[in-house]
């Protein structure tokens, strides 16, 4: 078959197929324009049909509706029908009554920037797939390093899928550096040595690696330990105070016990913004202890890192600049569409064990000729240009503009916590001496009439009341979801036994008003009363 015939055959294959226009090239924008208009219309229709923070439906009913529409949507109708379905069936973080998780309503400018990335589809694993995006990510990371307090000329980093990936990277580097120095081996090449295989700490041989993190640290710390071959049991939970901050004395004692037992403290994970209360561990003290015991300090600031944007709240993160590595998530207190995670190290040379050379992506002669590669900075190969939307947002609003959003959400949380404390049927977690919310989240619970509140009688009666309170709070949250009235978080306080279930508000919409938060709390109380009646 001739070349001309082959070309004609390809054209004939595509001619009857709808939806084959591409988003790139000189004609890409024209092809996208009507489709984007259709998506915007479907988003509006789906949101109007939803009519609130979440669709009023049981999980089974919602699943049935999704299956029916998915099965029926075909051809040119698919985009509009499925987009409307998604909008109708999504929890909308822009709704004031959607306040359960670290699930932010993204800024429109960031979403628009993300559309450009989706259309152009640059991949960050080689320069020749993403020339401009490679430079932009490098420049953005220099700014982020400076924001944390690192020297941008000495730091390094990468965009990640979020805190879980960033925490994995921090603990991987900690394992390779600290365990590698203790054993004289390249851990990334030879693997984690078995206990008793010559690992030493002082006079002890066969020291087992340990990671120390607060009892309120993110579950990804244990997951990372498992993935890194250390085992979840390698993570030692450190006691927290009533505000869920790691106790410095307890951390010191845990480190001392590690040494006494011949164990190797590989890393201390300090949390700057726990998912439940926004608690921030004593970062400077953690850094001092890490230095004293030769451990790597990783700060999980996926949530609390947003405080660095605020002049008022940035002092809460004093000492973060001493960390060996840091996790940040701008899809939390940064109002970016997911994913917008950032991982940073204070010293670029500590990144060595992640370096990779793939001759088809970053050959040495290309780099020597001035074509840089980000491949050796990431755990991923194909990777979106997620830095672009952050860069656009920063240049649009600046740190000051974003800081105003952080401050607005913090003030909203303070007002919400005060409203809870003043309500006779609600109980604020730690309200006795707790002060205001650290960031933008707080815990509380509905107090059933039979329980008598915080002063309920002791013994079996108190246990029964605590069980009843847990049941009512768990059920009222599900009632709100089922009725489409609100999306409220649910968690449990550390410890054992009944009475630990708490509801959670995480306020990330800077346009929400205090009155709207009060109405949300009224809805919680009404749902609680309905559950008591049931």
């Amino acid at each position: 078959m001739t070349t001309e015939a082959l070309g004609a055959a390809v054209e004939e294959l595509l001619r009857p197929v709808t939806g084959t226009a591409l988003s790139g090239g000189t004609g890409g924008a024209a092809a996208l324009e009507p489709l984007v208009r259709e998506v915007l219309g479907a988003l509006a229709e789906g949101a109007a049909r939803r009519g609130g923070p979440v669709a009023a439906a049981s999980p089974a009913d919602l699943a049935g509706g999704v299956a029916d529409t998915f099965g029926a949507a075909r051809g040119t109708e698919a985009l509009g029908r499925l987009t409307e379905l998604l909008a109708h069936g999504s929890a909308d973080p822009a709704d004031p009554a959607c306040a359960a998780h670290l699930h932010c309503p993204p800024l429109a400018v960031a979403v628009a920037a993300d559309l450009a990335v989706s259309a152009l589809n640059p991949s960050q694993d080689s320069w020749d797939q993403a020339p401009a995006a490679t430079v932009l990510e490098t420049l953005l990371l220099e700014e982020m390093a400076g924001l944390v307090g690192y020297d941008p000329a000495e730091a390094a980093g990468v965009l990640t899928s979020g805190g879980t990936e960033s925490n994995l990277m921090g603990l991987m580097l900690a394992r390779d550096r600290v365990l590698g120095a203790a054993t004289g081996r390249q851990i990334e090449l030879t693997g984690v040595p078995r206990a008793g295989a010559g690992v030493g700490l002082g006079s002890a041989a066969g020291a087992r690696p340990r990671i120390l993190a607060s009892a309120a640290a993110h579950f990804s710390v244990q997951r990372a330990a498992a993935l890194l071959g250390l085992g979840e049991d390698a993570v030692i939970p450190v006691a927290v105070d009533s505000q869920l901050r790691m106790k410095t004395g307890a951390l010191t004692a845990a480190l001392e016990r590690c040494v006494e037992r011949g164990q190797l403290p590989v890393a201390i994970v300090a949390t700057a913004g726990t998912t439940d209360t926004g608690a921030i561990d004593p970062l400077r003290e953690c850094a001092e202890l890490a230095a004293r015991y030769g451990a790597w300090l990783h700060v999980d600031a996926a949530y609390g890192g947003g405080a660095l944007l605020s002049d008022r709240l940035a002092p809460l993160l004093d000492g973060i600049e001493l960390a060996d590595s840091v996790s940040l998530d701008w899809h939390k207190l940064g109002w970016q569409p997911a994913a917008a995670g950032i991982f940073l190290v204070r010293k670029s040379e500590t990144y060595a064990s992640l370096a990779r050379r793939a001759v088809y992506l970053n050959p040495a002669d290309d780099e020597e000729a001035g074509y840089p590669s980000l491949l050796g900075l990431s755990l991923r190969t194909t990777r979106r240009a997620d830095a672009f939307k952050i860069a656009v947002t920063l240049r649009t609003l600046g740190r000051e503009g974003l800081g105003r959003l952080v401050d607005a959400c913090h003030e909203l949380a303070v007002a919400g916590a005060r409203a809870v404390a003043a309500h006779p049927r609600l109980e604020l977690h730690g309200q006795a001496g707790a002060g205001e919310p650290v960031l933008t989240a707080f815990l509380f619970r509905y107090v059933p009439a039979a329980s008598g509140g915080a002063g309920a009688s002791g013994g079996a009666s108190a246990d029964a009341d605590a069980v009843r309170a847990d049941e009512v709070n768990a059920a009222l949250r599900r009632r709100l979801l089922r009725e489409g009235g609100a999306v409220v978080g649910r968690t449990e306080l550390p410890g054992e036994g009944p009475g630990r279930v708490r509801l959670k508000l995480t306020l990330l919409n800077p346009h929400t008003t205090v009155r709207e938060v009060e109405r949300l709390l009224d809805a919680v109380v009404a749902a609680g009363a309905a559950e008591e009646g049931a």
Side-chain angles (χ1 to χ4, degrees):
M1 184 179 291
T2 66
T3 302
E4 290 79 4
L6 282 171
V10 170
E11 290 180 10
E12 184 59 32
L13 282 171
L14 295 180
R15 185 173 294 115
V17 182
T18 59
T20 60
L22 302 180
S23 63
T26 57
L32 273 174
E33 186 176 0
L35 300 174
V36 170
R37 283 200 302 267
E38 184 176 3
V39 164
L40 294 176
L43 288 173
E45 290 173 8
R49 189 157 64 92
R50 185 182 65 242
V54 67
S58 69
D61 289 342
L62 182 68
V66 171
D68 289 344
T69 303
F70 179 67
R74 289 287 188 276
T76 56
E77 292 185 352
L79 176 62
R81 292 191 65 179
L82 291 178
T83 301
E84 182 182 346
L85 169 72
L86 181 66
H88 170 261
S90 290
D92 182 8
D95 191 293
C98 186
H101 301 286
L102 289 164
H103 177 202
C104 75
L107 292 164
V109 67
V111 173
D114 211 32
L115 172 62
V117 170
S118 292
L120 295 168
N121 205 30
S123 181
Q124 300 290 85
D125 48 316
S126 66
W127 186 94
D128 58 359
Q129 297 178 83
T134 296
V135 180
L136 274 172
E137 178 166 321
T138 303
L139 293 172
L140 176 71
L141 289 168
E142 289 176 358
E143 285 198 16
M144 293 298 101
L147 184 68
V148 167
Y150 289 167
D151 180 349
E154 296 183 355
V158 74
L159 269 288
T160 71
S161 59
T164 295
E165 181 184 349
S166 296
N167 290 344
L168 174 62
M169 292 180 71
L171 291 175
M172 176 181 174
L173 295 179
R175 179 200 67 177
D176 296 346
R177 297 288 292 188
V178 178
L179 188 55
T183 62
R185 303 167 63 176
Q186 275 190 272
I187 303 301
E188 68 273 20
L189 296 181
T190 63
V192 178
R194 60 181 176 81
V199 184
L201 181 64
S203 59
R208 187 173 176 190
R210 289 288 185 261
I211 297 168
L212 296 95
S214 89
H218 196 261
F219 66 85
S220 60
V221 175
Q222 280 82 2
R223 178 177 287 177
L227 290 170
L228 294 171
L230 304 176
E232 291 194 22
D233 288 345
V235 180
I236 298 176
V238 179
V240 295
D241 62 19
S242 61
Q243 302 312 305
L244 307 187
R245 298 169 300 200
M246 184 156 53
K247 293 181 179 179
T248 304
L251 176 59
T252 303
L255 287 163
E256 290 174 351
R257 285 194 297 272
C258 282
V259 173
E260 290 169 0
R261 295 169 181 171
Q263 298 169 343
L264 178 66
V266 167
I268 296 171
V269 178
T271 305
T274 57
T275 55
D276 283 346
T277 64
I280 297 173
D281 291 337
L283 305 182
R284 189 166 293 276
E285 290 87 344
C286 288
E288 291 169 356
L289 287 167
R292 184 187 309 171
Y293 285 88
W296 178 283
L297 176 62
H298 175 70
V299 173
D300 177 2
Y303 176 21
L308 295 170
L309 298 167
S310 163
D311 289 339
R312 184 199 311 170
L313 299 179
L316 292 171
L317 272 65
D318 174 59
I320 193 172
E321 71 280 2
L322 303 174
D324 295 291
S325 57
V326 172
S327 301
L328 304 170
D329 274 6
W330 294 132
H331 51 251
K332 294 182 172 70
L333 274 178
W335 296 279
Q336 301 296 298
I342 291 177
F343 173 72
L344 295 166
V345 295
R346 182 162 48 90
K347 299 292 184 182
S348 59
E349 59 266 25
T350 62
Y351 234 113
S353 62
L354 265 173
R356 285 295 177 272
R357 178 77 61 196
V359 292
Y360 72 101
L361 292 174
N362 62 339
D365 55 320
D366 268 5
E367 292 193 350
E368 291 166 2
Y371 292 83
S373 170
L374 306 180
L375 179 67
L377 298 173
S378 178
L379 293 176
R380 292 177 286 162
T381 305
T382 302
R383 187 165 60 83
R384 291 183 88 248
D386 288 319
F388 182 71
K389 60 198 173 194
I390 306 174
V392 168
T393 301
L394 278 171
R395 286 299 176 267
T396 301
L397 295 175
R399 176 181 175 270
E400 180 184 0
L402 285 167
R404 287 176 181 269
L405 301 184
V406 173
D407 289 342
C409 290
H410 176 247
E411 290 175 1
L412 196 64
V414 170
R418 289 175 179 173
V420 167
H423 201 291
R425 300 306 302 274
L426 299 176
E427 179 184 271
L428 183 66
H429 166 64
Q431 61 188 43
E436 299 177 340
V438 180
L439 295 172
T440 67
F442 58 88
L443 303 182
F444 68 104
R445 67 174 174 172
Y446 172 81
V447 182
S451 75
S457 59
S461 176
D463 284 346
D465 287 347
V467 169
R468 176 63 175 154
D470 285 353
E471 292 173 346
V472 169
N473 278 273
L476 78 82
R477 173 181 164 273
R478 291 190 293 269
R479 174 183 288 268
L480 289 169
L481 285 172
R482 188 170 61 251
E483 296 177 351
V487 185
V488 176
R490 177 204 187 276
T491 188
E492 295 182 16
L493 300 178
E496 300 292 335
R500 295 183 297 116
V501 171
R502 292 295 183 276
L503 304 176
K504 176 173 65 170
L505 292 190
T506 308
L507 299 167
L508 294 180
N509 183 345
H511 298 295
T512 297
T513 66
V514 173
R515 182 65 192 114
E516 286 169 332
V517 174
E518 291 172 345
R519 283 200 292 268
L520 173 55
L521 294 172
D522 289 342
V524 169
V525 172
E531 284 300 323
E532 285 192 84

